[in-house]
Amino acid sequence: ENSDDETTSTLIGDNDLAAALSGSNPASLMYIPHEGRFAHDSSTLIEGQSGEGGSNSAANFLNKSRKSSRSQALNSSIQQLRYNENKIALDRSINQTIDLMYELSNENKERPIFYPTDVEDENNILLNSTKAHLALVRNSSSLKTISKEKILGDDDVDVEKLPEFKILKLNIKIGHNSSSADNIVANLDKKSIAKLLEKKITHQVNYLLNLKDRIDDTSSKVFVTGDLNAGKSTFCNALLRRKILPEDQQPCTSVFCEVIDASRENRSVEEVHAVPIGKDYNIRDESTYEIHPLKALDELVYDCDRYSLLKVYVLDNRSFQESLLHNGIIDIKLIDAPGLNMDSYQTTQVFSRQEEIDLVVFVVNSENHFTLSAKEFIAAAAAEKRYVFIVVNRFDNIKDKEKCKKKILDQVKSLSPDSYKSAEDFVHFVSSSEIFNDGDGPGDDDDPNEDERDFNNPDFDHLEASLRKFILDKRSISKLLPAKSYLLNLLNDLETLSKLNEKVYLQEMDDKVKDLNNQVAPKYNEIMTKQAKIGDMINSLIELTCNDIYNSSKKEILNVVNQLGDQQVVPYQGLQYLFEYARATQEVMINQILASVQTCENKAKDITSAKVEEIIKFGQNTLGEEFLNDKVFRSDLMFTRKRDSVERQLHNSIEFSDFFDPSWESCLVWLGIPKEYVSATRQQIDYFNPVTALSSIPTNVVALRDQLPTQITLHTLYNSGKILTTGALIRKMYDFSSLVTPSVVKKIAIPVVIGISGFSIYYLISDMPNAFPRKQARRIKKQIFELDYPHHNSNRVANECRSVLSYPSRQVMNNFQTSLDKRAIEKENLEKEIKNAELSSGYFHALLGKISYQRQLINDIDLESVYTVD
């Protein structure tokens, strides 16, 4: 650095200093800081009076000078104190904003945040409403699913302008024509947008951390960029008053060049530190860079495949008041960036370096104005930096300068409104190539000031003065204001996103509650009620059907069993085929029993088929289209399991006694008396036997009266008359017995016995075809009843029907349960969505309070006020 004596000699001329200090009556002098000189007493007012060279005037001047110096030092201290306080406040705000971003990230991971997408449809502006976007994003549907007619017909939809984000913008476009490019974000589902937003949040957190490091850094970085061949390197050389960076009509800078004051950071050695790609520069570690002489810079700037950064250390021996790098206040690094549109990688790199720079100086070619890349870059820079220096280079080549100025200022107005408002300080029209009267080559000779020339360029002087004043005198604005602006823009975006999400989630919660109360819950309760009712009906139907089948089956089997033995069941072929007859009779009787069971099963199949259809109709009538009848009932598959074999359980051996079954009834029938008369007479005799008669005597007159109409019938009287006639015949026979003497008996006994025996033998032999069925039937009946065969088979048939009917019953109930489960899932999902919407709306409501509080703290950081002490 220059010594204080050098500084003093620069500020105060030797003659002025000698005149001020010599003699008893020195001339009155006053230091003018802005002009860097002392004014003589003749032109200086001291306490309102003109200086008049005398001892009092000199003393007053020296007192005033000392007081002014103390005030200036005190003001500088106050300004530095305020700067430090503001920097600490911004650090604290950045940390708190990072916490808010982390909270938003956690919320987005747990419940994806609704993000408004930019749907480009000029024919249907209603698609930009929140409701339409909610249908697109929340329901994961595409733009094609919402027809124009449907939305235009919705009177409840309010046309709302989509919010514009400065920081949290997610637009992804294909193609170079933004007016016709498709917006990918608009067609993404909720989860995809949430992932994009998550990446955006992560990027903003990293940006905030870099922003914090930048405001903590005591140095300032001036970033010079612009379109290809706009004269960026020429402009940088003009600021340095040396041709350090190579200049050419063709694009020459393809590597970032960072120009640094060598006297402060590199021991006053001018050289280039080339940082290879993939290395992190550390000046204390020579393995992280290559050292090259300053003259090699012409070749190094083209080698973008090897180096990512060139650290150019130069000396500027001009005074503190003249030099930008060597200003004696702060460290300034001048970064010459590759031109935009050089290639996609370099352009991306230029965009990405914004987060580490304090001031952007954008060089525009006056002949080309702002290109698309230039507009995008300045728009991105304006999100953080309120002010951007616009340098319109090569302005001397323009004929109609006023027209050019007007067009460029109109473009600046839309890109950076604050820069436009202060266009006198931030928009400059210059010709950097005219700074040097002539050039003798690059500044790498022994004398670093060889290329310096005296020049007089008011436009460039004004640009340099504005740049210097903005960086040095308005350090709070140049260094801290971009961070404050960025935080405010980010908080505004967060507030916009929070308000929109709070509104959307409140509306969603209201809609879901209405759906739950008006549709899902009533349907769920209705299905539950119908399920219980239909279940009871089906169970009752099955039980009644099975009981009817059981009773009818048992009755059928009993009827068949009771009718066994009433008549011959197979033809009798003669005495010689008696055994075969017996076997065939047994087989037919057993087959009749089995046939009765088969008959019961067939009837049960028909009944079951009808009941299956009836059960299916229950489900179809109740559930409608939700009933899934994917099975077909086949009654022929019923009772296909192995049946009970009655032959194995019955004792079917044939004995000789089985062929004889003498009885009066059978004898009378054999004699030719009709069987029905024999049966009727037997019933009457059984009815009038002493035991039956005694048990049937009425106990009172009323009972007798009630029984008479039913007991005394004409048929009874007729039969009673026959019995009285038979009694008379018996009495006559008794009277006739007196005539029968022993001798008579001896004479007729043998013939009678022989006759009766012959009759009996003949009767027994003749009655064998009927006696065997009767006796065999009684034996089978006895065994059948002992086995409880009618009950077991009837129960088996009924159980088979119950088992078969349970299948459609389960199918119907399963369909009910499926429908119920579906409604339960819908109900559960709605309740979950309502809970999530409630939590999300509450979260965003609380977030709005935090954002408002944080924004108020940032607004309270006053960076533009100047505090002075008189």
Side-chain angles (χ1 to χ4, degrees):
E1 297 180 0
N2 294 330
S3 64
D4 295 338
D5 294 340
E6 293 175 344
T7 305
T8 304
S9 65
T10 304
L11 297 176
I12 304 174
D14 294 338
N15 296 330
D16 293 336
L17 182 61
L21 298 177
S22 64
S24 59
N25 295 319
S28 299
L29 297 177
M30 187 176 195
Y31 175 65
I32 302 176
H34 297 291
E35 297 181 6
R37 65 183 181 83
F38 280 94
H40 293 282
D41 60 333
S42 60
S43 61
T44 304
L45 291 176
I46 300 176
E47 296 183 353
Q49 302 295 329
S50 297
E52 306 238 351
S55 59
N56 293 334
S57 298
N60 290 335
F61 168 74
L62 292 176
N63 291 333
K64 287 289 186 178
S65 297
R66 294 189 188 100
K67 185 177 180 180
S68 177
S69 299
R70 288 194 299 269
S71 299
Q72 185 176 5
L74 184 59
N75 288 334
S76 298
S77 299
I78 292 175
Q79 294 298 330
Q80 185 64 38
L81 180 62
R82 292 296 302 169
Y83 177 86
N84 293 336
E85 291 177 353
N86 292 333
K87 184 180 72 172
I88 294 173
L90 280 174
D91 279 341
R92 187 182 302 111
S93 296
I94 289 175
N95 291 332
Q96 294 174 354
T97 304
I98 289 175
D99 292 339
L100 294 181
M101 298 299 289
Y102 280 135
E103 291 181 10
L104 188 68
S105 176
N106 294 332
E107 174 68 18
N108 187 49
K109 291 177 182 177
E110 186 173 356
R111 291 176 291 272
I113 295 175
F114 167 71
Y115 186 89
T117 56
D118 187 11
V119 181
E120 298 177 356
D121 187 357
E122 297 178 355
N123 297 325
N124 188 7
I125 60 174
L126 289 180
L127 281 177
N128 288 335
S129 65
T130 302
K131 184 173 181 180
H133 282 290
L134 187 62
L136 289 173
V137 181
R138 303 296 293 179
N139 296 331
S140 301
S141 59
S142 64
L143 184 61
K144 298 179 181 179
T145 60
I146 302 181
S147 63
K148 177 179 178 181
E149 293 77 12
K150 181 178 180 181
I151 296 179
L152 290 177
D154 191 353
D155 297 334
D156 297 333
V157 178
D158 296 329
V159 179
E160 299 177 4
K161 185 178 180 180
L162 282 178
E164 294 183 359
F165 295 106
K166 292 185 178 180
I167 307 295
L168 301 177
K169 194 172 183 180
L170 295 182
N171 280 349
I172 302 175
K173 295 183 179 181
I174 299 177
H176 299 285
N177 188 359
S178 59
S179 61
S180 60
D182 294 331
N183 192 340
I184 300 178
V185 177
N187 293 322
L188 296 178
D189 60 10
K190 178 176 61 176
K191 292 184 179 179
S192 299
I193 292 179
K195 290 181 180 179
L196 287 177
L197 186 59
E198 179 64 26
K199 293 181 179 180
K200 188 71 173 181
I201 292 173
T202 302
H203 173 72
Q204 294 309 314
V205 169
N206 294 331
Y207 196 100
L208 289 172
L209 292 173
N210 292 331
L211 188 65
K212 183 177 181 298
D213 294 337
R214 194 174 83 207
I215 66 174
D216 291 339
D217 188 7
T218 57
S219 64
S220 290
K221 293 183 179 180
V222 179
F223 193 69
V224 181
T225 187
D227 287 324
L228 284 177
N229 203 24
K232 299 180 296 298
S233 299
T234 304
F235 172 75
C236 292
N237 289 333
L239 288 177
L240 297 172
R241 298 298 191 274
R242 296 177 60 188
K243 290 187 177 181
I244 302 294
L245 301 173
E247 301 174 9
D248 196 346
Q249 293 180 348
Q250 297 297 324
C252 56
T253 303
S254 59
V255 182
F256 288 92
C257 297
E258 190 171 323
V259 183
I260 308 170
D261 184 13
S263 64
R264 298 181 65 91
E265 296 193 18
N266 201 42
R267 304 179 308 279
S268 299
V269 177
E270 289 191 329
E271 60 186 7
V272 179
H273 292 179
V275 182
I277 295 176
K279 295 284 187 178
D280 293 328
Y281 177 71
N282 184 359
I283 194 171
R284 296 180 180 85
D285 185 4
E286 294 188 2
S287 64
T288 61
Y289 59 91
E290 299 175 4
I291 300 177
H292 297 273
L294 202 59
K295 61 182 180 181
L297 190 59
D298 288 354
E299 298 178 359
L300 294 175
V301 293
Y302 292 100
D303 205 351
C304 60
D305 294 333
R306 292 181 56 193
Y307 306 111
S308 61
L309 177 63
L310 300 178
K311 293 276 189 175
V312 182
Y313 292 95
V314 298
L315 290 174
D316 190 347
N317 293 325
R318 291 180 296 167
S319 65
F320 295 154
Q321 289 75 26
E322 296 176 345
S323 175
L324 185 65
L325 295 181
H326 187 59
N327 55 72
I329 300 176
I330 61 173
D331 296 336
I332 293 180
K333 298 177 181 179
L334 193 63
I335 302 175
D336 183 20
L340 298 175
N341 295 323
M342 187 171 186
D343 58 52
S344 59
Y345 175 76
Q346 293 289 353
T347 302
T348 303
Q349 288 294 100
V350 173
F351 272 75
S352 65
R353 293 294 295 270
Q354 286 200 60
E355 61 188 51
E356 62 183 62
I357 60 179
D358 300 307
L359 176 64
V360 173
V361 178
F362 198 89
V363 182
V364 181
N365 191 334
S366 60
E367 300 171 357
N368 299 330
H369 296 192
F370 292 97
T371 63
L372 177 61
S373 297
K375 293 179 180 178
E376 291 180 352
F377 180 87
I378 296 176
E384 174 191 340
K385 299 167 180 62
R386 182 181 298 180
Y387 301 104
V388 177
F389 269 85
I390 306 295
V391 178
V392 184
N393 200 12
R394 300 173 183 170
F395 192 60
D396 57 315
N397 297 331
I398 301 300
K399 293 182 179 180
D400 192 346
K401 292 181 170 52
E402 293 300 325
K403 181 179 179 180
C404 178
K405 282 185 178 181
K406 185 178 183 304
K407 287 186 176 181
I408 289 180
L409 287 175
D410 289 342
Q411 290 179 309
V412 172
K413 183 178 181 179
S414 61
L415 296 174
S416 180
D418 290 306
S419 300
Y420 173 79
K421 292 178 182 178
S422 303
E424 184 177 353
D425 293 328
F426 293 98
V427 182
H428 301 274
F429 298 84
V430 299
S431 296
S432 300
S433 60
E434 293 183 353
I435 300 302
F436 303 100
N437 293 330
D438 55 19
D440 297 327
D444 54 358
D445 297 334
D446 296 335
D447 184 5
N449 295 323
E450 181 181 349
D451 289 326
E452 294 182 5
R453 298 288 186 272
D454 295 332
F455 66 95
N456 184 14
N457 192 321
D459 293 334
F460 198 88
D461 289 345
H462 178 58
L463 184 157
E464 190 175 17
S466 299
L467 184 62
R468 179 184 178 87
K469 180 181 179 181
F470 186 73
I471 296 175
L472 301 181
D473 296 346
K474 296 184 178 181
R475 183 161 171 75
S476 293
I477 296 179
S478 63
K479 185 73 173 178
L480 302 182
L481 185 59
K484 178 181 177 180
S485 301
Y486 185 83
L487 287 175
L488 289 176
N489 288 332
L490 180 58
L491 290 176
N492 287 336
D493 285 357
L494 288 177
E495 182 182 41
T496 300
L497 191 64
S498 299
K499 286 182 178 179
L500 180 61
N501 275 269
E502 183 185 20
K503 180 180 178 181
V504 167
Y505 279 116
L506 287 175
Q507 182 64 40
E508 182 180 3
M509 183 171 63
D510 185 56
D511 294 341
K512 299 299 182 182
V513 169
K514 289 181 180 178
D515 292 341
L516 179 64
N517 295 333
N518 299 334
Q519 298 181 12
V520 178
K523 187 69 174 179
Y524 178 81
N525 296 330
E526 179 185 0
I527 293 178
M528 283 191 65
T529 304
K530 289 183 177 179
Q531 182 187 28
K533 183 178 179 181
I534 296 299
D536 293 340
M537 293 175 61
I538 291 176
N539 291 334
S540 176
L541 175 66
I542 291 175
E543 291 302 320
L544 290 175
T545 301
C546 292
N547 289 335
D548 291 342
I549 290 175
Y550 172 83
N551 294 329
S552 62
S553 299
K554 187 174 182 180
K555 182 179 179 181
E556 178 70 23
I557 295 173
L558 287 175
N559 287 337
V560 172
V561 172
N562 290 329
Q563 290 176 4
L564 293 177
D566 291 348
Q567 58 185 2
Q568 295 182 15
V569 293
V570 295
Y572 180 64
Q573 301 294 332
L575 191 60
Q576 65 275 18
Y577 299 105
L578 184 61
F579 185 78
E580 288 79 2
Y581 171 76
R583 284 296 182 191
T585 300
Q586 278 186 341
E587 185 177 353
V588 170
M589 288 183 176
I590 294 174
N591 288 336
Q592 286 179 343
I593 297 174
L594 294 177
S596 67
V597 174
Q598 183 68 36
T599 301
C600 295
E601 290 178 351
N602 292 333
K603 291 181 179 179
K605 288 181 181 180
D606 296 337
I607 295 174
T608 303
S609 297
K611 297 304 178 183
V612 166
E613 294 296 328
E614 188 174 350
I615 292 173
I616 295 298
K617 286 182 180 179
F618 279 147
Q620 291 176 341
N621 295 335
T622 306
L623 294 177
E625 295 180 356
E626 293 187 7
F627 182 78
L628 300 176
N629 186 18
D630 55 350
K631 296 180 181 179
V632 178
F633 172 68
R634 292 182 57 185
S635 60
D636 57 314
L637 298 179
M638 293 179 63
F639 308 108
T640 56
R641 293 178 297 177
K642 185 178 180 180
R643 299 186 180 90
D644 295 331
S645 179
V646 70
E647 294 99 333
R648 298 179 181 179
Q649 304 178 49
L650 298 179
H651 179 66
N652 58 357
S653 61
I654 301 175
E655 299 177 358
F656 183 73
S657 60
D658 294 338
F659 296 97
F660 302 100
D661 185 30
S663 64
W664 288 105
E665 294 83 353
S666 62
C667 182
L668 293 175
V669 172
W670 179 71
L671 291 175
I673 299 175
K675 185 177 180 181
E676 55 271 17
Y677 291 125
V678 174
S679 299
T681 303
R682 176 62 182 269
Q683 291 176 359
Q684 294 300 326
I685 291 175
D686 291 339
Y687 182 78
F688 284 105
N689 68 69
V691 178
T692 304
L694 291 175
S695 61
S696 61
I697 295 176
T699 57
N700 51 50
V701 177
V702 177
L704 178 62
R705 185 194 63 186
D706 294 337
Q707 290 183 6
L708 283 176
T710 58
Q711 299 296 330
I712 301 177
T713 61
L714 292 176
H715 185 67
T716 302
L717 294 175
Y718 172 75
N719 289 329
S720 300
K722 293 201 301 180
I723 293 174
L724 293 175
T725 304
T726 305
L729 291 174
I730 292 173
R731 284 196 299 272
K732 289 183 179 181
M733 289 177 66
Y734 177 76
D735 294 337
F736 180 74
S737 65
S738 61
L739 300 176
V740 180
T741 60
S743 59
V744 174
V745 170
K746 290 181 182 179
K747 291 180 181 180
I748 66 174
I750 294 175
V752 170
V753 170
I754 293 173
I756 293 174
S757 298
F759 177 79
S760 299
I761 293 171
Y762 181 72
Y763 160 68
L764 292 175
I765 293 173
S766 300
D767 192 46
M768 281 183 181
N770 296 318
F772 182 82
R774 289 196 304 270
K775 199 166 185 178
Q776 192 66 30
R778 287 196 299 270
R779 180 187 294 176
I780 291 176
K781 288 179 184 178
K782 181 180 179 182
Q783 296 183 56
I784 288 295
F785 290 131
E786 288 176 352
L787 295 173
D788 203 5
Y789 185 79
H791 165 72
H792 288 307
N793 276 275
S794 300
N795 192 49
R796 178 181 63 82
V797 173
N799 288 336
E800 179 78 8
C801 294
R802 180 179 286 104
S803 177
V804 171
L805 291 175
S806 65
Y807 285 105
S809 173
R810 284 198 299 269
Q811 184 181 7
V812 172
M813 301 312 295
N814 287 339
N815 275 269
F816 269 101
Q817 190 61 42
T818 301
S819 180
L820 193 64
D821 291 342
K822 180 180 178 181
R823 298 297 184 275
I825 292 174
E826 291 179 359
K827 183 172 178 289
E828 182 180 355
N829 290 337
L830 275 178
E831 291 174 347
K832 184 178 179 180
E833 290 177 1
I834 291 171
K835 183 63 176 178
N836 288 335
E838 183 180 3
L839 292 174
S840 295
S841 61
Y843 165 77
F844 285 108
H845 181 75
L847 183 61
L848 282 172
K850 295 179 181 178
I851 292 173
S852 178
Y853 174 74
Q854 189 59 41
R855 183 169 54 190
Q856 184 61 42
L857 292 178
I858 297 175
N859 284 326
D860 291 341
I861 301 175
D862 189 1
L863 300 178
E864 300 185 9
S865 298
V866 178
Y867 297 87
T868 60
V869 176
D870 296 333

